[in-house]
Amino acid sequence: MASATEERIGLFMCLCLFFFLHFSTSTAEDPIPAPWPEQFHSVLFLNRSGSLRKQDLWYDWPNGRNFNIIQYQLDVLKYDLEWNNGTTFLYTLDPFNHTCQVTQYDVGIPRPNWLDGANYLGQQYADNFLCNVWEKVGFIWYYEDVLTKRPVKWIFYDGMITDVMTFEVGAVLDDAHWQAPDYCFNKAEPEPQIHNRRSSFSLDLETAIVGDFRWTLMSEMR
């Protein structure tokens, strides 16, 4: 017959085994974010300290391009055209004054698996959807619908909130729309982008956020 001491030792070992298996299983079962489709169109609403804008995002990885068409609330419409060679055109068209800023980055557009290696934070409700939540390099917090694995929202380190309104997998913008206007090519050389999170606030907001997003995430995936 086992002594009381032996019974306590056996119980302790069983408890240790239970906790080991429990936490090992929990870690192994942590979900991973779904890669972005190689081509999609999404309508986004962005809010940064009350400054609102609507954004059409056209992501086209096979052709190495990404397009953000940005409508500011009761204000200008801007076009942010990004290429995988690192070139970005930020411009306006009629009826607004013709402006164009050309910037050269040393990284291309985010890859479909740019969330690889993100830190899983658990589940939260966001915009009435139960979401899995990840954080990537202290830069972006990403919310994905548990049921459909579609993105619901993401939040940048500076507080900019992006809410996903539509997500059309496989949608592709016609090639004719991917051409920057002639006046974007009047400058001799594009402006090189300094990849510094703090100094980026002194730059145009769209260029700063795009630059930080591309450089931070792509650098982590090299």
Side-chain angles (χ1 to χ4, degrees), residues 33-131:
W36 272 7
E38 291 196 348
Q39 293 174 315
F40 70 87
H41 169 239
S42 187
V43 175
L44 313 172
F45 283 114
L46 289 80
N47 186 342
R48 185 175 186 271
S49 301
S51 177
L52 302 178
R53 70 191 198 216
K54 171 181 172 288
Q55 185 165 312
D56 279 270
L57 167 61
W58 295 90
Y59 181 76
D60 190 353
W61 175 254
N63 292 301
R65 57 195 187 181
N66 191 56
F67 205 0
N68 295 287
I69 303 173
I70 308 163
Q71 175 64 65
Y72 290 84
Q73 187 176 23
L74 300 176
D75 204 344
V76 69
L77 179 67
K78 286 191 176 183
Y79 299 82
D80 175 21
L81 176 57
E82 309 164 14
W83 293 91
N84 219 12
N85 64 2
T87 304
T88 291
F89 300 92
L90 182 65
Y91 58 90
T92 54
L93 299 173
D94 291 334
F96 302 101
N97 292 333
H98 290 179
T99 63
C100 184
Q101 179 180 353
V102 184
T103 308
Q104 185 66 45
Y105 299 96
D106 57 8
V107 292
I109 66 174
R111 303 172 188 170
N113 62 340
W114 61 269
L115 281 165
D116 281 2
N119 179 37
Y120 182 61
L121 302 179
Q123 294 186 344
Q124 298 179 27
Y125 275 94
D127 302 332
N128 295 319
F129 295 90
L130 179 61
C131 297

Side-chain angles (χ1 to χ4, degrees), residues 7-38:
E7 289 178 352
R8 285 195 292 270
I9 292 174
L11 178 60
F12 175 76
M13 293 180 67
C14 287
L15 287 172
C16 289
L17 180 61
F18 169 79
F19 283 114
F20 173 79
L21 292 175
H22 172 73
F23 287 111
S24 297
T25 303
S26 297
T27 301
E29 292 179 352
D30 280 352
I32 58 174
W36 272 7
E38 291 196 348

Side-chain angles (χ1 to χ4, degrees), residues 80-219:
D80 175 21
L81 176 57
E82 309 164 14
W83 293 91
N84 219 12
N85 64 2
T87 304
T88 291
F89 300 92
L90 182 65
Y91 58 90
T92 54
L93 299 173
D94 291 334
F96 302 101
N97 292 333
H98 290 179
T99 63
C100 184
Q101 179 180 353
V102 184
T103 308
Q104 185 66 45
Y105 299 96
D106 57 8
V107 292
I109 66 174
R111 303 172 188 170
N113 62 340
W114 61 269
L115 281 165
D116 281 2
N119 179 37
Y120 182 61
L121 302 179
Q123 294 186 344
Q124 298 179 27
Y125 275 94
D127 302 332
N128 295 319
F129 295 90
L130 179 61
C131 297
N132 288 314
V133 186
W134 294 268
E135 169 269 329
K136 179 97 178 192
V137 296
F139 182 80
I140 191 169
W141 284 255
Y142 188 86
Y143 296 73
E144 179 185 274
D145 182 29
V146 169
L147 296 178
T148 65
K149 294 190 174 296
R150 293 180 300 184
V152 172
K153 72 187 302 179
W154 55 84
I155 303 174
F156 285 105
Y157 70 92
D158 69 339
M160 179 180 286
I161 301 172
T162 301
D163 289 296
V164 180
M165 305 304 294
T166 67
F167 196 71
E168 304 170 77
V169 176
V172 180
L173 186 64
D174 292 340
D175 286 340
H177 296 287
W178 293 89
Q179 178 60 51
D182 293 342
Y183 45 87
C184 285
F185 301 94
N186 293 336
K187 295 182 179 180
E189 294 291 339
E191 299 177 9
Q193 175 63 50
I194 300 173
H195 304 300
N196 183 296
R197 183 177 299 179
R198 297 181 187 276
S199 66
S200 68
F201 286 106
S202 64
L203 302 173
D204 182 86
L205 178 60
E206 293 77 23
T207 303
I209 294 297
V210 167
D212 267 356
F213 180 65
R214 293 169 68 173
W215 180 73
T216 301
L217 299 179
M218 296 298 287
S219 296

